[in-house]
Amino acid sequence: MTAELYTPEFLIGMVVLIVGTIAVAFPRDNDYLTRLINLEIPGWGLLLVMLHYNEALALFTFAAVSVLSTYIFVRVMQKKEGI
Amino acid sequence: MIAIYLCAAIAVYAALRVVTERNTMRKLPFFNVISFAVTAIIVLLLPGPITILAAAAYFVGSTLESNAIASTWAGGMKKP
Amino acid sequence: MNDIVMAASLILILIGMTAAILNRDPFDKLISLSILIAGVFPFIIDRGFLDVAIATALIAPLSTIFTLMVCRRVKT
């Protein structure tokens, strides 16, 4: 698709995406808050992988939707734990 | 060209200091140092008028984030 | 981008990712996540997406502030 296959953004994005996904699936403390903070690591890895393919509109949309989903998760946790 | 190398070295050194620090409150000044260094790297990578706007946006956002973490750690807004 | 600046950004990303996974305190995790975000920005600027950089730099602290609404100080 692109001329150069292995740019540094693609490689480091894949490393961050895979390691972050493993960290979300098996966190050290089995807690809602730890899992929510770990969930932001693969988001930035996915943003780096999207940067490799030169898609500006995808980057805009992903950055906006990521914050929205974080807010929804925070509201769910507040309702469940009764803070 | 020596300025951007100096900023990169400062950023890496401050990141190592943040990781090896034990107290949470002592991590925040070194995080501010990382913020200054990355702002300088952004300006020196691609000189232009809009790049200065991007660097200002990153600087404002990073300072706001650091102040929010410090404010919440120090007690935050008490509910009456 | 130079090789030295790119290596510094890669080191920032790797340090931030490792420290964000291995820490246990939520505030330490948020500070380490900020180091990871600081390492991502030179890559976005180097591709030339200045508008994406402005939008992301203004949106990323909102995510941290929303997460801080759940964090409470545990000790003392």
Side-chain angles (χ1 to χ4, degrees), chain C residues 10 18 52 57 64 66-67 74:
Chain C
L10 291 180
T18 309
V52 175
T64 305
F66 284 150
T67 309
V74 179

Side-chain angles (χ1 to χ4, degrees), chain A residues 9 28-29 40 54 67, chain C residues 22 24 33 47 59 63 66:
Chain A
E9 296 101 6
R28 287 187 74 185
D29 295 336
E40 302 204 359
N54 285 322
V67 173
Chain C
L22 291 182
R24 302 181 81 103
L33 195 68
R47 279 299 176 115
I59 279 175
S63 174
F66 284 150

Side-chain angles (χ1 to χ4, degrees), chain B residues 71-76, chain C residues 25 27 68 70-76:
Chain B
S71 171
T72 308
W73 196 86
Chain C
D25 192 21
F27 295 97
L68 279 172
V70 189
C71 295
R72 283 168 305 170
R73 201 173 158 196
V74 179
K75 56 182 190 298
T76 65

